[in-house]
Amino acid sequence: MLIKVSRQPLADIKAELIVLPVFEETVPEWKNTLQDPSIEHFLKSNPKFGKAYETQTIFTTNKQLLVIGLGKKDKLTFETLQNWAGVGVKQQLTKSKTLTLVLPKLTNLTPEQTGEAVALGIEIASHDPTQDYKSEPLKITLHTIEIVSLIDISKGLKRGQILSNTINMARKLADTPANLMTPTTFVTQVKKIASANSFKLTILTEAQAKQKGMGGFVAVASGSDEPGFMLSLEYTGNPSSKEKWGLVGKGITFDSGGLYAKPSPHMNEMKYDMCGAVSVLGAVVAAAQLNLKTNIVAVMPMTENMMNGKAMKPGDILKTYSGKTAEILHTDAEGRVVLIDAVSYAEKDFKATKIIDLATLTGAVLGALSGVYTGVFSNNPQLQEQVIETGERVGEKYWAFPMDDEFGEMIKSDYADISNVGHPDREAGSITGAKFIEAGITKKTPWVHLDIAGTAWDSKPKPYRGIGATGVGIKTLVELVR
Ligand code: BES
Ligand code: MN
Ligand code: ZN
């Protein structure tokens, strides 16, 4: 999208369509400038208008206005402003060519945050994966957004556009169906990204991973006819520092459940089981493009979870890269089995000093938090707090779960060191999943696990974002490593 900024007085704007903000219980700043009977009438007959993202079209004598609610003025957040900008764009995507967004006066966000939020909202709302494979796709007509702002937001706009371009790139990779997005096609994409950004890319084949002792990753990858790869990308933006973020993302390009095939009618959605991997990929690309002075290794274990003759079987015991042995009690709990090796790899081979993993790990996190919050699990209260607080600033919601030793007891195995599901019954499903991954951290490195099973994609559209992958976590990670 082409985004322009102008300081034109409101009365002079001759646009096809103007989006105006309305705060709840507040007379709009623009009311007097635009004086028109239809506006007077609307405001008088809708005194409660202004809830976040509610919309109304008003035709004045010479203009079409789209008024969009922003909620309570003193409660305005980065997230509300971002989504507010998205609502108008999403609604007009196939209806208008240009759109003029009039920003409200904002007191609780800096000019940079304002620009960033608005650019993110516009670009996130412009992305629609539903038309890519249709013979007669809907045509996007909207090409230019003019933002009317009294303050200079250009720096934030630029940052927001870089960030949202990588978020949309990541979303597209995740939305691509599993027949077209195998671990091999993902590697092809990552190779291009690595050379465009001068990243160091290391690709371990299944045979190489096996030789290194990554028994967990190999056990899952063996079950598919598609070859799997353990990928890592290194970005060194601060060579003089020994600090290095290890960002690890679950990269199951399709999760059938393995021999315990998923009974769910939603198995099609399991093309999204690689959303953790695309988020860490997006984060490292954005960090590089924003020139952040930080060091990152992104680790992406890429494989399908399938059920060929070599697939892992319940009762199998394997040796993970941490040295711990693990008993497979459920073949559909595969994410933790690849991640336990991936976090060890980040810690041992790349000397990551802080590790964050993102994974569509458990259906149970949806039971607890629906799609509203991402679940947080950690061995380190400071890093955990830092992630949650960073999320608040950029408009991503995180909720922490307890990680007491009692939960670790639940994954003790009769025959091996640990088992990949809690037993005898599967209580505390999301926490025991996290405990299994934590077992891969062998040197007490601060670690946070983010269970994005509820937040990684939408099956129902939002007013500001269509269905499909969300790119959750990228904004938080980029702000965190900044
Ligand atoms: N990828 C799934 C988790 C998932 C389910 C994500 C639904 C998003 C929506 C994961 O590999 C899985 O199958 N987990 C199992 C674990 C169980 C067998 C302990 C689950 O949640 O049912
Ligand atoms: Mn599974
Ligand atoms: Zn899975």
Side-chain angles (χ1 to χ4, degrees):
M1 200 66 71
L2 182 63
I3 302 182
K4 294 185 187 163
V5 203
S6 108
R7 291 181 182 222
Q8 231 181 358
L10 198 47
D12 298 350
I13 298 174
K14 290 186 190 55
E16 144 175 33
L17 181 61
I18 305 179
V19 175
L20 293 165
V22 181
F23 286 108
E24 242 175 297
E25 293 161 19
T26 314
V27 179
E29 299 149 16
W30 44 265
K31 182 180 163 232
N32 290 333
T33 338
L34 284 184
Q35 284 190 11
D36 189 282
S38 57
I39 296 177
E40 295 281 342
H41 176 76
F42 169 74
L43 292 173
K44 209 168 269 158
S45 46
N46 297 279
K48 291 212 170 113
F49 188 88
K51 293 202 177 55
Y53 323 136
E54 69 176 328
T55 64
Q56 176 68 47
T57 305
I58 305 173
F59 291 93
T60 68
T61 42
N62 57 357
K63 285 188 176 67
Q64 186 185 346
L65 308 176
L66 177 61
V67 289
I68 306 180
L70 259 172
K72 296 235 164 67
K73 190 161 191 169
D74 54 343
K75 294 244 168 70
L76 184 91
T77 60
F78 186 95
E79 188 182 10
T80 342
L81 182 65
Q82 173 184 330
N83 294 340
W84 173 83
V87 173
V89 172
K90 178 162 183 283
Q91 203 177 94
Q92 295 303 317
L93 218 46
T94 57
K95 296 195 183 99
S96 309
K97 291 187 184 126
T98 63
L99 196 66
T100 300
L101 282 181
V102 177
L103 296 194
K105 281 203 196 86
L106 299 167
T107 43
N108 39 1
L109 294 175
T110 65
E112 185 164 2
Q113 285 177 313
T114 304
E116 187 176 337
V118 171
L120 277 161
I122 292 170
E123 301 292 355
I124 298 290
S126 311
H127 173 92
D128 177 6
T130 65
Q131 303 302 310
D132 293 355
Y133 304 96
K134 289 190 174 145
S135 313
E136 290 175 36
L138 281 174
K139 246 187 103 122
I140 291 182
T141 49
L142 195 62
H143 55 68
T144 304
I145 311 290
E146 180 162 82
I147 298 170
V148 180
S149 169
L150 297 175
I151 51 164
D152 180 12
I153 58 165
S154 50
K155 199 168 155 214
L157 272 181
K158 186 140 184 258
R159 191 183 144 84
Q161 276 193 296
I162 293 174
L163 194 51
S164 50
N165 285 341
T166 57
I167 291 175
N168 286 346
M169 178 274 296
R171 293 168 81 193
K172 193 172 169 69
L173 292 173
D175 283 316
T176 307
N179 60 330
L180 304 177
M181 184 50 66
T182 62
T184 303
T185 37
F186 188 78
V187 169
T188 310
Q189 298 296 327
V190 171
K191 277 184 181 160
K192 284 187 206 155
I193 291 168
S195 65
N197 293 282
S198 315
F199 293 142
K200 182 168 178 218
L201 168 63
T202 309
I203 305 173
L204 299 183
T205 61
E206 278 177 54
Q208 289 166 325
K210 187 170 183 178
Q211 195 145 43
K212 277 183 83 72
M214 297 179 168
F217 172 71
V218 170
V220 177
S222 300
S224 166
D225 293 348
E226 288 290 342
F229 302 95
M230 179 68 84
L231 302 183
S232 59
L233 273 180
E234 289 167 87
Y235 166 65
T236 310
N238 190 2
S240 60
S241 166
K242 280 218 166 71
E243 293 294 308
K244 189 191 280 181
W245 290 93
L247 306 181
V248 179
K250 174 177 174 182
I252 302 293
T253 59
F254 189 75
D255 180 12
S256 70
L259 287 176
Y260 277 118
K262 284 189 179 294
S264 140
H266 299 295
M267 202 203 273
N268 59 310
E269 296 188 354
M270 285 300 119
K271 68 173 182 182
Y272 287 119
D273 217 16
M274 56 180 290
C275 281
V278 303
S279 284
V280 302
L281 178 63
V284 69
V285 170
Q289 297 192 349
L290 292 166
N291 258 313
L292 301 188
K293 301 234 165 326
T294 183
N295 304 319
I296 302 175
V297 57
V299 177
M300 296 162 282
M302 305 305 302
T303 169
E304 293 183 328
N305 182 29
M306 295 293 283
M307 46 185 102
N308 69 15
K310 297 220 165 64
M312 57 184 183
K313 301 170 283 295
D316 282 1
I317 293 175
L318 47 87
K319 190 162 190 178
T320 65
Y321 195 39
S322 66
K324 292 182 180 122
T325 55
E327 183 185 16
I328 301 301
L329 287 179
H330 203 306
T331 62
D332 200 7
E334 84 297 341
R336 62 201 73 181
V337 180
V338 301
L339 286 166
I340 189 173
D341 283 350
V343 296
S344 299
Y345 188 39
E347 191 186 46
K348 286 193 194 182
D349 291 51
F350 298 99
K351 313 279 178 261
T353 51
K354 285 170 186 167
I355 297 176
I356 301 188
D357 81 74
L358 284 83
T360 45
L361 202 77
T362 64
V365 84
L366 269 141
L369 304 172
S370 181
V372 181
Y373 284 81
T374 290
V376 183
F377 309 79
S378 180
N379 65 359
N380 183 291
Q382 283 85 9
L383 187 60
Q384 167 167 301
E385 198 38 52
Q386 203 188 341
V387 170
I388 296 172
E389 187 268 325
T390 306
E392 263 166 39
R393 243 182 305 141
V394 298
E396 291 187 317
K397 292 189 174 77
Y398 295 96
W399 195 263
F401 283 72
M403 283 286 274
D404 305 68
D405 293 342
E406 286 92 325
F407 298 111
E409 295 293 317
M410 298 178 190
I411 59 162
K412 282 212 165 130
S413 161
D414 291 340
Y415 297 98
D417 298 332
I418 47 177
S419 62
N420 78 329
V421 286
H423 66 112
D425 34 41
R426 275 185 250 136
E427 292 172 349
S430 301
I431 303 174
T432 49
K435 279 284 173 193
F436 189 92
I437 301 172
E438 184 186 19
I441 306 281
T442 57
K443 293 175 214 138
K444 300 213 166 103
T445 305
W447 156 85
V448 167
H449 158 63
L450 301 176
D451 194 335
I452 57 170
T455 49
W457 74 90
D458 293 314
S459 335
K460 282 189 233 124
K462 299 238 158 59
Y464 49 84
R465 185 175 67 210
I467 60 169
T470 60
V472 68
I474 299 179
K475 286 195 292 179
T476 305
L477 293 177
V478 172
E479 184 71 15
L480 197 63
V481 304
R482 205 173 166 181

